Amino acid sequence: MEENIPISWLNDFLFCPRSIFWHNLYGNFAKSTYQQTPQIKGLQAHENIDKKRYSTSKKWLASIDIFSEELGLVGKIDLLNQETGELVERKRTIKKIYDGYYLQVWAQYFCLVEMGYSVKKIFFHSLTDNKRYSIKIPTETEKQKLKEIILQMKHFSLEKKFSQNPHKCNHCIYCELCDIPQ
Ligand code: SF4
């Protein structure tokens, strides 16, 4: 496992630790080889709105690279309003805010703070229904939870005992690739 972990892996690791293996293996391949329609639609929604609404506004920082030396994380944020300190993570449609979503914005928050940015509010924005969900600013408790997950990721091994969850596998973008005995 690399020393710096991509923030985008946190959600996937919570969903299934084995997905990290596929990330590593297919990370350099064309995304169309493994992304399914919902993932592609989500990315397109991000791109379209970036171009239309945010490209000319200087107060919005969009898709900037972030890192945390303390946490060993690298990634990108979606949007940060430099005037109001609003950090916004857009998703195509939010039906439920999963634990992995929280980890993602906590990680973004701690990276930004370490880099010297001011973040005062955090939101998820569901694009298809235009709903916004406010998230509490994370504290030291959330930072410790994040660190625990990062530690688990760093020590993850395919050799470890693993119970497949068919319900998850049926909804996993790697279901065609992951041939694990039932
Ligand atoms: S197919 Fe199942 S076991 Fe494989 S990565 Fe996806 S959820 Fe995990």
Side-chain angles (χ1 to χ4, degrees), residues 17-170:
R18 286 197 170 234
S19 67
I20 299 305
F21 170 78
W22 295 115
H23 271 299
N24 274 320
L25 197 59
Y26 285 89
N28 295 327
F29 286 13
K31 288 181 177 165
S32 58
T33 58
Y34 62 90
Q35 283 183 333
Q36 293 183 340
T37 306
Q39 282 74 36
I40 291 169
K41 277 185 179 171
L43 287 173
Q44 285 170 344
H46 265 223
E47 283 171 11
N48 292 342
I49 287 195
D50 278 344
K51 282 175 194 157
K52 281 182 194 159
R53 201 182 296 168
Y54 295 101
S55 59
T56 56
S57 177
K58 287 186 181 165
K59 69 181 179 184
W60 286 101
L61 288 178
S63 300
I64 61 163
D65 293 316
I66 54 171
F67 71 94
S68 165
E69 207 174 325
E70 181 189 354
L71 297 172
L73 289 173
V74 291
K76 279 186 186 291
I77 58 153
D78 196 1
L79 294 166
L80 176 68
N81 185 319
Q82 296 187 92
E83 290 177 3
T84 61
E86 288 174 57
L87 172 64
V88 182
E89 173 61 30
R90 294 163 302 170
K91 301 206 176 285
R92 188 165 185 274
T93 305
I94 297 177
K95 291 181 182 159
K96 176 185 171 184
I97 300 182
Y98 295 98
D99 288 347
Y101 289 9
Y102 284 106
L103 283 184
Q104 184 185 9
V105 288
W106 294 347
Q108 291 176 357
Y109 171 84
F110 289 119
C111 287
L112 285 167
V113 169
E114 191 178 311
M115 291 168 73
Y117 289 100
S118 170
V119 182
K120 295 178 182 157
K121 296 173 187 169
I122 304 176
F123 294 100
F124 281 111
H125 186 173
S126 177
L127 294 171
T128 52
D129 51 12
N130 200 28
K131 285 188 180 166
R132 265 196 163 198
Y133 301 89
S134 179
I135 305 300
K136 278 188 196 164
I137 295 290
T139 64
E140 195 54 36
T141 306
E142 283 77 33
K143 188 188 255 189
Q144 287 311 315
K145 281 186 194 167
L146 198 49
K147 283 183 174 177
E148 281 167 28
I149 300 292
I150 293 166
L151 203 62
Q152 287 174 30
M153 291 174 83
K154 287 187 171 167
H155 291 101
F156 171 74
S157 161
L158 277 179
E159 307 304 317
K160 282 190 182 170
K161 200 169 173 225
F162 176 79
S163 300
Q164 197 177 16
N165 179 336
H167 177 70
K168 286 188 175 182
C169 296
N170 288 339

